[in-house]
């Protein structure tokens, strides 16, 4: 039976591929849920922090922190969050396209652009372009920790303090829902329009040691928490994209198996018919 | 217990909420010395040192939390602790920043021509797609 053996082994290999993609799909599903949970957990911190920052800026109108003042944009920094691993559909490609778009936009305005890259994919993509890369971070894993982000963020904050960059943007894949993830740009520095809750009566805190120090620490932590949120959201997006990609791959493998099975059955039947006709022909000849 | 003797305590960090609930008193290690906060404390904003935060709930045992520093906000009926999950110190942060810079420099120095695992994977995916196309064409013809 020529052909049938090959088809059979091909079916077996497709089937084992399908097993892998199915497993990856399930792993991505559970990791996505956990990442979503972490996104939810990070929200109260940022919210409470904004409240305090809002109150501080309200109470100290004469003190202008550099993070809160807008200056002419001669140089722009962009923090790009991407994934470490592939097999996540067009997720990273979309983020990179948006980044290139943003870069071109600012270069069109005569500003220089430098990058900070989080994730292996981003590093591999952007280091070919020759754009200056100020800092990078790879191997963050599925559970990003604030601890790992501090250094990377600090490089960009220092660059802003030293007037090496005048704007800081954050770009990551926003998790809209399981089916949709789209690149989102957020301006980190200077911090724009903080919603100050309407204060019912004017009162102020006692500051220990002083307001400027506390505000500085708070603003730095606020930026860090935003980058942390972006990293966690990116993981959720990555897992959702991978889940969808792996579902499609499993379905395709299923279809392929059905097709191959048909071809196999036909080949088998052809072989049997041929053998039969040979026997009949042989019998007739006797 | 009367409401006036209770403060609401939130201890939040970027990675999650540590505690949220009523308390009779909160103790924390501030930059300028240890603090004990009871209800109707004057509004206060201070930085925390890495250390223990103790919360006395209205009922039950005292609860202990470790914070790696952070900011403590006190309002008459509310205490909010914005806790750091990581130990912060100027030189630790500095070292981390330096490492991030070095990683970027190293990545730029690395030869671009050389095939990374990601590229190999992409190559494999392309080959698989081609195989599938051949399969389809063969089916259409025969």
């Amino acid at each position: 039976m020529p052909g049938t053996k090959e088809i059979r082994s091909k079916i077996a290999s497709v089937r084992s591929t399908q097993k892998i993609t199915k497993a990856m799909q399930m792993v991505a599903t559970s990791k996505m849920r956990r990442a979503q949970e972490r996104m939810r957990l990070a929200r109260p911190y940022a919210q409470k922090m904004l409240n305090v920052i809002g109150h501080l800026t309200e109470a100290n109108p004469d003190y202008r922190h550099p993070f809160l003042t807008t200056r002419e944009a001669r140089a722009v920094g962009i923090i790009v969050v991407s994934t470490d691993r592939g097999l996540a559909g067009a997720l990273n490609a979309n983020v990179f396209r948006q980044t290139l778009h943003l870069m071109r936009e600012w270069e069109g305005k005569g500003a220089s652009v430098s990058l900070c890259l989080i994730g292996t994919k981003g590093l591999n993509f952007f280091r070919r372009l020759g754009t200056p890369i100020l800092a990078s971070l790879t191997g963050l894993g599925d559970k990003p920790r604030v601890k790992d982000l501090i250094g990377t963020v600090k490089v960009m904050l220092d660059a802003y303090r030293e007037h090496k960059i005048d704007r800081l943007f954050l770009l990551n894949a926003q998790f809209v829902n399981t089916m949709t993830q789209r690149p989102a740009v957020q301006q980190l520095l200077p911090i724009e329009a903080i919603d100050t809750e309407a204060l019912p009566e004017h009162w102020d805190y006692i500051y220990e040691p002083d307001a400027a120090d506390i505000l500085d620490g708070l603003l730095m932590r606020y930026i860090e928490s935003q980058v942390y949120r972006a990293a966690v959201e990116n993981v959720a997006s990555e897992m959702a994209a991978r889940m969808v990609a792996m579902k499609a791959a499993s379905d395709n493998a299923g279809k392929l198996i059905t097709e191959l099975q048909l071809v196999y059955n036909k080949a088998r039947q052809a072989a049997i018919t041929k053998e039969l006709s040979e026997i009949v022909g042989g019998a007739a000849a006797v | 217990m009367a409401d006036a003797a209770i403060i609401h305590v939130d201890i939040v960090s970027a990675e999650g909420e540590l505690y949220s609930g009523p308390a009779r008193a909160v103790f924390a290690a501030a930059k300028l010395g240890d603090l004990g906060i009871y209800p109707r404390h004057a509004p206060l904003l201070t930085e925390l040192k890495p250390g223990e935060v103790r919360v006395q709930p209205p009922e039950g045992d005292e609860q202990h939390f470790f914070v790696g520093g952070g900011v403590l906000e006190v309002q008459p009926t509310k205490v909010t602790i914005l806790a750091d999950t990581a130990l912060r110190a100027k030189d630790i942060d500095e070292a981390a920043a330096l490492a991030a810079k070095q990683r970027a420099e190293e990545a730029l120095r690395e030869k671009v021509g050389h095939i990374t695992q990601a590229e190999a994977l992409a190559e494999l995916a392309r080959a698989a797609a081609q195989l599938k196309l051949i399969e389809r064409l063969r089916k259409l013809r025969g």
Side-chain angles (χ1 to χ4, degrees):
Chain A
M1 287 199 281
T4 49
K5 196 161 170 266
E6 284 89 336
I7 298 171
R8 221 171 7 193
S9 70
K10 178 88 183 138
I11 291 176
S13 98
V14 174
R15 198 163 273 151
S16 67
T17 309
Q18 190 190 28
K19 266 184 203 152
I20 296 170
T21 56
K22 260 198 184 140
M24 283 179 82
Q25 181 195 338
M26 281 187 275
V27 170
T29 311
S30 87
K31 280 186 177 167
M32 182 189 73
R33 288 217 191 91
R34 263 176 277 154
Q36 273 178 288
E37 175 65 10
R38 272 193 291 277
M39 263 166 73
R40 199 183 59 74
L41 288 174
R43 220 165 283 150
Y45 180 72
Q47 195 49 50
K48 293 228 156 69
M49 198 164 252
L50 267 185
N51 287 348
V52 178
I53 292 172
H55 187 97
L56 264 172
T57 48
E58 193 107 317
N60 298 279
D62 47 330
Y63 176 70
R64 299 302 291 172
H65 194 277
F67 286 180
L68 297 166
T69 39
T70 308
R71 58 191 188 221
E72 197 199 334
R74 264 179 262 113
V76 171
I78 308 174
I79 300 178
V80 184
V81 186
S82 61
T83 68
D84 279 330
R85 276 170 294 168
L87 294 178
L91 189 81
N92 285 319
N94 287 341
V95 169
F96 298 159
R97 197 177 313 132
Q98 184 72 39
T99 311
L100 290 174
H101 186 76
L102 190 71
M103 281 165 69
R104 239 172 272 139
E105 189 190 318
W106 280 99
E107 276 161 359
K109 289 183 197 167
S112 65
V113 176
S114 44
L115 297 170
C116 166
L117 301 167
I118 298 176
T120 315
K121 292 281 169 186
L123 194 61
N124 286 339
F125 182 85
F126 285 103
R127 73 167 184 222
R128 285 148 204 268
L129 292 185
T131 316
I133 300 171
L134 295 185
S136 78
L137 176 65
T138 56
L140 208 50
D142 305 327
K143 283 181 224 125
R145 306 293 307 267
V146 176
K147 195 178 84 185
D148 304 323
L149 294 166
I150 289 171
T152 315
V153 176
K154 188 177 160 56
V155 173
M156 299 313 275
L157 294 183
D158 286 348
Y160 183 85
R161 280 201 188 96
E162 292 158 12
H163 288 248
K164 280 186 199 146
I165 54 173
D166 305 303
R167 293 278 187 288
L168 182 59
F169 292 97
L170 174 65
L171 230 150
N172 72 295
Q174 185 191 8
F175 183 89
V176 182
N177 55 43
T178 316
M179 300 302 290
T180 320
Q181 301 87 34
R182 62 170 82 99
V185 190
Q186 184 194 352
Q187 179 171 328
L188 284 181
L189 287 175
I191 299 172
E192 284 178 320
I194 292 171
D195 297 329
T196 45
E197 285 178 354
L199 299 166
E201 58 210 87
H202 199 82
W203 51 273
D204 202 2
Y205 296 105
I206 303 167
Y207 298 103
E208 271 177 24
D210 74 284
D213 274 4
I214 294 174
L215 187 58
D216 192 60
L218 273 175
L219 290 174
M220 188 179 80
R221 286 178 176 85
Y222 175 67
I223 304 286
E224 281 163 9
S225 81
Q226 289 301 300
V227 177
Y228 170 74
R229 181 205 50 76
V232 174
E233 187 166 20
N234 209 67
V235 171
S237 299
E238 175 191 356
M239 292 309 161
R242 180 166 303 140
M243 192 180 94
V244 173
M246 288 301 113
K247 169 127 185 26
S250 305
D251 290 352
N252 283 342
K255 266 185 224 148
L256 200 59
I257 289 172
T258 325
E259 281 166 20
L260 284 172
Q261 194 71 53
L262 261 174
V263 176
Y264 170 74
N265 288 347
K266 270 187 199 151
R268 185 172 154 270
Q269 194 57 53
I272 293 170
T273 313
K274 197 174 139 210
E275 231 168 278
L276 261 181
S277 61
E278 269 163 17
I279 293 168
V280 173
V286 171
Chain B
M1 204 176 285
D3 260 352
I6 301 263
I7 30 176
H8 188 83
V9 181
D10 284 310
I11 306 179
V12 288
S13 78
E15 288 169 22
E17 206 168 57
L18 297 175
Y19 181 86
S20 178
R24 278 184 293 139
V26 184
F27 303 95
K31 267 244 162 83
L32 300 180
D34 286 5
L35 275 176
I37 299 144
Y38 289 88
R40 283 182 290 172
H41 191 286
L44 169 78
L45 201 60
T46 182
E47 283 178 65
L48 291 181
K49 281 193 299 194
E52 202 180 38
V53 173
R54 289 182 292 136
V55 178
Q56 279 182 359
E59 278 135 35
D61 292 333
E62 196 175 69
Q63 296 200 34
H64 299 246
F65 302 93
F66 178 80
V67 296
V71 175
L72 170 81
E73 186 213 13
V74 184
Q75 287 181 26
T77 58
K78 218 170 76 179
V79 172
T80 308
I81 293 174
L82 301 164
D84 291 338
T85 44
L87 273 177
R88 306 297 296 259
K90 213 165 181 239
D91 44 346
I92 297 179
D93 287 9
E94 207 71 63
L98 207 65
K101 270 188 207 163
Q102 272 166 359
R103 277 196 300 269
E105 280 158 17
E106 261 162 44
L108 283 176
R109 257 205 306 278
E110 225 175 272
K111 246 208 241 140
V112 172
H114 123 144
I115 294 187
T116 59
Q117 198 195 356
E119 279 162 5
L121 271 172
E123 200 64 48
L124 191 68
R126 204 170 307 134
Q130 273 168 358
L131 275 178
K132 207 182 154 192
L133 186 70
I134 291 168
E135 200 80 44
R136 280 268 155 80
L137 286 176
R138 198 187 289 153
K139 236 191 78 191
L140 275 178
R141 253 184 235 151

